[in-house]
Amino acid sequence: MNEVAPLPSTIAIDGPAASGKSTIGHALAQRLGYLYFDTGVVYRAVTWLALSRGIPLGDEDAIASLARSVPIDLLAPADATDGRLATVLIGGEDVTWAVRQPQVDANVSAVSAYASVREALKAQQRRIGHAGRVVMVGRDIGTVIMPDADLKIYLDASPTERARRRCEEDRGRGLSVNYEEILTAMRKRDAYDSGRSTAPLRPAPDAQIVDSTRLSVSEVLEVILALVAQWQPTMP
């Protein structure tokens, strides 16, 4: 009888904005039957909780305390008819759509910039990740959150291609957008993410770098599925 090759239980996908990591991460999780974990949701959860409790968003200590004390969990959706990619729980309460409110959108960047909040949420993310059978997507998964992930992928694309994708995505939503403005903002975000002192955006030393500039979504997915199939567990 042929033995079934083992699969990596924890898969980290990092990369800059509009590199396709969310689309690819979700598609990969579906193909493998894994939990899809967009780690940005934990920052949204804490932001929503602070807003709902009337905690000033300028009070870093109070928000960090909240991040340490309130359990955040992520579950595969039992019923995805409402379009959810995962079910987000705070203290057992389903807040999947509450954390997507415009007020959260407007404030999550400020909350996620706090070093003490990032440190507090690192433990929450690791707890979810270490349960296994998970595809974790973010900007510092392979370097900070899950440096022990079985398979690390850094998904990249040129700034011009990523700006084109973002334009196409926004126009699909009926928004009026300007390519040059989006490209400028993309480059500014890249510089900030790569240059910040806390968890800068960069590939992990052992990450597999996949350039999606000239590849379709299905082609990128096939490349990553091949990496999954080729993966071998590290011998102790």
Side-chain angles (χ1 to χ4, degrees):
M1 178 181 293
N2 294 329
E3 291 187 6
V4 177
L7 294 178
S9 183
T10 50
I11 302 173
I13 301 180
D14 291 308
S19 59
K21 56 187 182 293
S22 296
T23 299
I24 294 300
H26 181 242
L28 180 64
Q30 285 192 311
R31 286 286 290 269
L32 298 177
Y34 281 17
L35 172 68
Y36 169 66
F37 183 9
D38 178 351
T39 55
V41 77
V42 297
Y43 295 98
R44 287 180 166 276
V46 170
T47 302
W48 175 82
L49 194 57
L51 288 168
S52 66
R53 293 188 178 183
I55 296 173
L57 296 184
D59 191 340
E60 178 178 352
D61 290 342
I63 296 176
S65 177
L66 202 61
R68 285 190 293 268
S69 62
V70 179
I72 300 169
D73 289 293
L74 212 72
L75 304 175
D79 179 8
T81 55
D82 63 355
R84 68 180 62 200
L85 303 182
T87 294
V88 185
L89 302 174
I90 298 180
E93 177 185 356
D94 185 343
V95 295
T96 303
W97 295 116
V99 302
R100 297 289 174 183
Q101 293 172 355
Q103 196 175 10
V104 174
D105 289 343
N107 291 284
V108 66
S109 291
V111 169
S112 64
Y114 291 139
S116 59
V117 173
R118 298 188 74 87
E119 185 64 28
L121 289 177
K122 185 193 302 183
Q124 301 248 27
Q125 292 173 79
R126 284 178 173 172
R127 173 175 49 79
I128 296 169
H130 283 143
R133 294 180 59 83
V134 60
V135 176
M136 298 178 69
V137 173
R139 285 180 171 81
D140 62 350
I141 310 304
T143 54
V144 176
I145 304 302
M146 292 282 286
D148 58 347
D150 293 331
L151 177 62
K152 301 171 194 171
I153 294 162
Y154 188 87
L155 187 59
D156 207 353
S158 69
T160 52
E161 172 61 17
R162 290 187 286 116
R164 185 197 67 77
R165 292 173 185 172
R166 181 57 53 83
C167 274
E168 192 174 90
E169 179 182 301
D170 288 349
R171 285 171 181 155
R173 295 172 178 167
L175 301 176
S176 177
V177 294
N178 179 282
Y179 169 80
E180 292 299 332
E181 289 179 358
I182 287 181
L183 178 58
T184 298
M186 191 80 67
R187 285 175 168 154
K188 184 177 180 180
R189 176 65 184 270
D190 287 350
Y192 172 79
D193 284 346
S194 300
R196 66 192 180 199
S197 58
T198 302
L201 173 66
R202 58 182 174 81
D206 55 346
Q208 301 288 333
I209 298 177
V210 177
D211 188 334
S212 69
T213 301
R214 293 178 174 82
L215 300 177
S216 67
V217 170
S218 60
E219 288 171 333
V220 175
L221 181 59
E222 289 309 312
V223 168
I224 294 177
L225 283 169
L227 293 174
V228 170
Q230 295 162 11
W231 176 82
Q232 294 291 328
T234 302
M235 299 302 293

